[in-house]
């Protein structure tokens, strides 16, 4: 074996090129010297000064640096010192005798221990190691904070089944095998990769938990939600039905045995939550924005086992030998290999590139034993599913379930804080798109059967008005006290609220009775409702007409002709393209006549705003600005504490004043009622 090259580093030469301060040089040198038993920098400098006194300044520093380099060379760590700290300690070499000295000609690298390799490797002070871009720290920090709030733990019963992340206001993407035990698959289903149907009672078994950074949420609030009745939006099985394994009896994942099955069975599931977590946490809109293909470095956020959230890093560019060992998977355009560490519970984990963009979903780990003659070796790799593949397969179903509602606002146009009321905003968007014609803002009664003074009842109308475009929308507001009399008077009041004098187009009660083929009162009321529908439809030829009836909790629709009139009016509204009806304060939204037209029911109003409401509002308000979960929690605690300073419950008005006066001082100081 040839001898290693005789490369000599001159301590005097490199001492003249030290650019670091004396204190920083000492720090770097002493850190290496302590591990080698060498003399530390200050004692070394004192010894040199006694033998060669010099005035403090550049000349003394250069002499002390040289003594330190000589000591490092004597104890065999000079090369290591320059390799690890050279770019921080030394200036680039200057030209000598009109000949440029290559910056890589001085320092031999210690990365290669084999003598034959040493003479082939040259070290520089810095080197671009790949085509990966240089990252902006604030971009990475902001991207990771968003990913943390976006990623969730998925529980099936008492088990921590896997991981998922938000791709819609209420949609979470995970692996199909994570929720497999809650699905019935039909063996004869003509759709080969169909994910199956939700089992009866599965809704109660499936929970999604966010902010699982510790054993409990830092503010004591539960950061979890359930799913809707029809929670499976789209998906694809992990393998053909005959290859599926009962997860309750086996720990290994079913895997396709044929190449064509690998390209068909994608092992993903999109599930729908019963809360708008994606609006509070800024979901990844993978269907409207083109997702990048997985390449280069990867970061995986996951919930391994029963541990809090973990993050691992690796690369999608696994070695060629690994690709050869798993050739079928590596050659599939429906999978990508990576080497970031994962364990059980990581399935469905969010895979980000180093620009903090979502590119894939972690699926599983593979391992095999490769035999070559009498020798064998183990090979293992992780597998992910590119998001572009999932979008191509299920993008239409995802868009359809999201509908017209993309984002919630945190402020009205006048600057007033809009905390919560997400379901109302979603309902208005749904109605504008024509998916719902009748909206119901529900209100409950207290234990004494009295309508409580709840937040947002009056505010609902203001939110509605602020959400509409009056170039294409017209609003008619009617107080419920005007509709408590007879059916005919109620009909006239509705028309007058739309436009003064419009009630003149109604036939008289006598004319209605004369034109009726029956003496039955209900028959005349149906004709009255039909006529009102026709008149309103004529008004709404150019703009959508929104009829808002407020205070129905104080003036409920009691039994009688008025109640019958509305029962007949609901289908008339639902049948016409440009008519909308908004009922605010209705205590009984499940009336049979109303249910027949499929109303959009809005969640029952809350008694007061709490820490979670404020925390989520701040997160939306500061969209694009990196802020930790602890900081959000702290602000929420402060806001509630200020609102409770008079020892009264944190009612909406108090919290609203805190937000509007302290957090939004540049806007008009108005309170939420």
């Amino acid at each position: 074996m040839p001898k290693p090259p005789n490369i000599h580093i001159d301590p005097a030469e490199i001492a003249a090129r030290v650019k670091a301060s004396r204190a920083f040089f000492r720090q770097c040198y002493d850190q290496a010297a302590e591990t080698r038993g060498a003399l530390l920098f200050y004692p070394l400098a004192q010894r040199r000064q006694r033998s060669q006194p010099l005035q403090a300044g550049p000349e003394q520093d250069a002499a002390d640096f040289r003594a330190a380099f000589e000591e490092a060379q004597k104890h065999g760590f000079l090369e290591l010192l320059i390799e690890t700290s050279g770019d921080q300690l030394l200036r680039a070499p200057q030209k000598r005798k009109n000949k440029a000295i290559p910056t890589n000609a001085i320092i031999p690298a210690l990365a290669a221990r084999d003598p034959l390799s040493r003479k082939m490797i040259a070290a520089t002070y810095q080197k671009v190691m790949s085509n990966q871009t240089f990252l902006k720290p604030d971009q990475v920090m902001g991207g990771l904070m968003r990913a943390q709030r976006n990623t969730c733990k998925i529980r099936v019963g008492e088990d921590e089944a896997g991981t998922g992340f938000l791709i819609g206001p209420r949609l979470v993407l995970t692996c199909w095998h994570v929720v497999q035990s809650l699905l019935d698959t039909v063996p004869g289903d003509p759709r080969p990769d169909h994910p199956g149907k939700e089992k009866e009672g599965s809704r109660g078994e499936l929970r999604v938990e966010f902010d699982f950074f510790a054993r409990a949420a830092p503010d004591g609030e539960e950061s979890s939600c359930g799913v809707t009745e029809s929670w499976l939006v789209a998906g694809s099985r992990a393998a053909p039905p005959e290859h599926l394994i009962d997860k309750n009896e086996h720990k290994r994942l079913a895997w396709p045995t044929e190449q064509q099955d690998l390209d068909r069975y994608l092992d993903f599931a999109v599930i729908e939550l019963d809360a708008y977590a994606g609006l509070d946490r800024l979901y990844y809109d993978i269907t409207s924005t083109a997702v990048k293909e997985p390449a280069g470095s990867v970061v995986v956020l996951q919930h391994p086992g029963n541990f809090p959230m973990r993050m691992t890093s690796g690369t999608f560019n696994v070695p060629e030998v690994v690709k050869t060992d798993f050739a079928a998977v590596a050659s599939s355009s429906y999978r990508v290999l990576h080497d970031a560490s994962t364990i059980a519970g990581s399935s469905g984990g969010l895979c980000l590139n180093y620009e903090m963009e979502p590119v894939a979903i972690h699926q599983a780990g593979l391992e095999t034993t490769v035999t070559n003659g009498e020798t064998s070796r183990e090979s293992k790799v992780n597998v992910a599913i590119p998001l572009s593949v999932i979008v191509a397969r299920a993008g239409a179903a995802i868009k359809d379930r999201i509908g017209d509602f993309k984002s919630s606002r945190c402020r009205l146009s006048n600057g007033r804080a809009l905390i919560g009321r997400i379901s109302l905003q979603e309902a208005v968007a749904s109605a504008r798109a024509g998916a719902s014609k009748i909206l119901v803002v529900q209100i409950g009664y207290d234990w004494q059967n009295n309508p409580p003074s709840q937040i947002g009842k009056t505010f609902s109308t203001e939110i509605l008005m602020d959400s509409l475009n009056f170039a294409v929308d017209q609003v008619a507001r009617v107080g419920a006290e005007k509709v408590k009399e007879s059916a005919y008077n109620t009909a006239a009041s509705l028309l007058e609220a739309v436009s003064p004098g419009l009630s003149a187009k109604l036939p008289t009660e006598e004319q209605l009775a004369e034109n009726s083929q029956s003496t039955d009162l209900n028959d005349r009321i149906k004709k009255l409702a039909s006529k009102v529908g026709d008149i309103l439809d004529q008004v709404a030829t150019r703009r959508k007409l929104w009829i808002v009836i407020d205070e129905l909790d104080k003036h409920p629709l009691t039994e009688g002709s008025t109640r019958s009139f509305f029962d007949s009016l609901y289908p008339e509204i639902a049948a016409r393209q440009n008519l909308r009806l908004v009922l605010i304060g209705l205590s009984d939204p499940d009336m049979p006549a109303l249910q027949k037209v499929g109303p959009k029911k809005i969640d029952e109003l809350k008694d007061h705003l709490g820490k979670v409401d404020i925390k989520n509002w701040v997160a939306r308000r500061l969209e694009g600005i990196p802020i930790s979960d602890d900081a959000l929690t702290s602000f929420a605690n402060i806001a509630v504490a200020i609102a409770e300073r008079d020892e009264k419950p944190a009612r909406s008005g108090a919290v609203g004043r805190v937000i509007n006066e302290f957090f939004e001082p540049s806007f008009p100081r108005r309170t939420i009622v």
Side-chain angles (χ1 to χ4, degrees), residues 93 162 553 623:
D553 55 320
E623 180 179 353

Side-chain angles (χ1 to χ4, degrees), residues 475-636:
V475 178
R477 300 175 63 177
V478 183
E481 72 277 2
K482 295 183 179 180
V483 297
K484 63 180 180 179
E485 300 176 3
S486 69
Y488 190 87
N489 290 340
T490 296
S493 296
L494 288 179
L495 295 177
E496 287 298 310
V498 174
S499 178
L502 192 60
S503 61
K505 293 187 176 183
L506 271 179
T508 64
E509 292 185 85
E510 292 75 13
Q511 290 173 329
L512 285 172
E514 291 175 358
N515 295 332
S516 176
Q517 297 178 355
S518 171
T519 58
D520 187 0
L521 177 63
N522 288 332
D523 182 64
R524 293 201 301 271
I525 289 176
K526 288 181 181 180
K527 289 186 177 296
L528 175 65
S530 177
K531 185 61 178 178
V532 169
D534 290 339
I535 296 173
L536 294 176
D537 204 24
Q538 294 171 8
V539 174
T541 55
R542 296 185 178 181
R543 294 190 295 175
K544 290 185 179 68
L545 175 59
W546 300 70
I547 301 174
V548 181
I549 303 178
D550 201 353
E551 303 290 347
L552 283 168
D553 55 320
K554 296 181 179 179
H555 307 282
L557 298 175
T558 57
E559 296 295 335
S561 64
T562 300
R563 174 72 171 267
S564 298
F565 169 72
F566 274 97
D567 288 349
S568 300
L569 184 63
Y570 298 145
E572 297 292 339
I573 297 289
R576 289 168 166 82
Q577 182 177 358
N578 286 337
L579 297 186
R580 303 290 185 270
L581 179 63
V582 183
L583 305 172
I584 299 178
L586 197 66
S587 60
D588 185 15
D590 296 321
M591 295 180 292
L594 193 56
Q595 288 305 302
K596 289 180 180 179
V597 296
K600 185 74 174 182
K601 292 189 295 183
I602 299 166
D603 296 339
E604 190 170 327
L605 299 178
K606 301 167 65 174
D607 287 325
H608 65 273
L609 298 172
K611 297 176 183 178
V612 173
D613 299 294
I614 302 170
K615 177 179 173 181
N616 292 335
W617 179 85
V618 175
R620 292 197 305 274
R621 176 67 179 83
L622 300 180
E623 180 179 353
I625 301 175
I627 182 170
S628 68
D629 194 78
D630 289 342
L632 293 173
T633 300
S634 297
F635 185 88

Side-chain angles (χ1 to χ4, degrees), residues 378-426:
E378 292 185 351
S379 182
K380 56 186 178 181
V381 74
N382 277 320
V383 184
I385 310 161
L387 291 182
S388 58
V389 170
I390 295 175
V391 172
R393 183 70 60 87
I398 294 171
K399 282 186 174 182
D400 183 65
R401 189 64 67 96
I402 292 176
D404 191 56
F405 190 43
K406 290 287 186 178
S407 62
S408 68
R409 298 174 299 157
C410 59
R411 294 182 303 183
L412 297 181
S413 57
N414 61 11
R416 184 180 180 188
L418 175 52
I419 307 175
R421 305 310 307 274
I422 292 175
S423 59
L424 175 58
Q425 295 180 67
E426 188 273 342

Side-chain angles (χ1 to χ4, degrees), residues 239-455:
E242 60 271 18
H243 297 162
L244 293 180
I245 298 172
D246 185 353
K247 285 184 86 260
N248 296 324
E249 298 180 5
H250 301 272
K251 296 298 183 183
R252 67 184 181 87
L253 171 70
W255 194 258
T257 57
E258 303 293 336
Q259 180 74 48
Q260 63 181 17
D261 290 337
L262 185 67
D263 296 348
R264 178 182 296 165
Y265 295 92
L266 300 183
D267 192 15
F268 76 89
V270 179
I271 62 180
E272 185 177 48
L273 309 179
D274 61 4
Y276 293 93
L279 298 180
D280 296 332
R281 299 169 181 276
L282 303 180
Y283 64 92
Y284 293 111
D285 191 358
I286 62 175
T287 57
S288 299
T289 304
V291 294
K292 292 184 178 179
E293 294 298 326
S297 301
V298 60
V299 172
V300 182
L301 274 79
Q302 56 196 282
H303 286 291
N306 193 31
F307 294 103
M309 187 183 297
R310 292 289 187 264
M311 181 185 75
T312 59
S313 62
T315 179
F316 289 115
N317 300 326
V318 298
E320 289 299 324
V321 64
V322 175
K323 293 181 180 180
T324 302
D325 295 340
F326 302 95
V329 184
S331 63
S332 173
S333 59
Y334 295 86
R335 298 293 193 282
V336 61
L337 305 180
H338 71 88
D339 59 10
S341 297
T342 60
I343 61 174
S346 301
S347 297
L350 171 61
C351 297
L352 303 169
N353 60 20
Y354 265 25
E355 284 71 43
M356 300 298 109
E357 299 165 317
V359 292
I361 173 176
H362 171 71
Q363 180 192 11
L366 301 177
E367 58 182 67
T368 188
T369 301
V370 181
T371 303
N372 185 9
E374 297 181 355
T375 63
S376 63
R377 60 178 175 83
E378 292 185 351
S379 182
K380 56 186 178 181
V381 74
N382 277 320
V383 184
I385 310 161
L387 291 182
S388 58
V389 170
I390 295 175
V391 172
R393 183 70 60 87
I398 294 171
K399 282 186 174 182
D400 183 65
R401 189 64 67 96
I402 292 176
D404 191 56
F405 190 43
K406 290 287 186 178
S407 62
S408 68
R409 298 174 299 157
C410 59
R411 294 182 303 183
L412 297 181
S413 57
N414 61 11
R416 184 180 180 188
L418 175 52
I419 307 175
R421 305 310 307 274
I422 292 175
S423 59
L424 175 58
Q425 295 180 67
E426 188 273 342
V428 174
S430 175
R432 293 195 68 188
S436 304
K437 301 292 183 64
I438 300 177
L439 308 184
V440 178
V441 180
Q442 184 180 1
I443 187 169
Y445 286 83
D446 63 15
W447 65 277
Q448 293 180 325
N449 204 33
N450 295 319
S453 176
Q454 293 175 304
I455 70 165

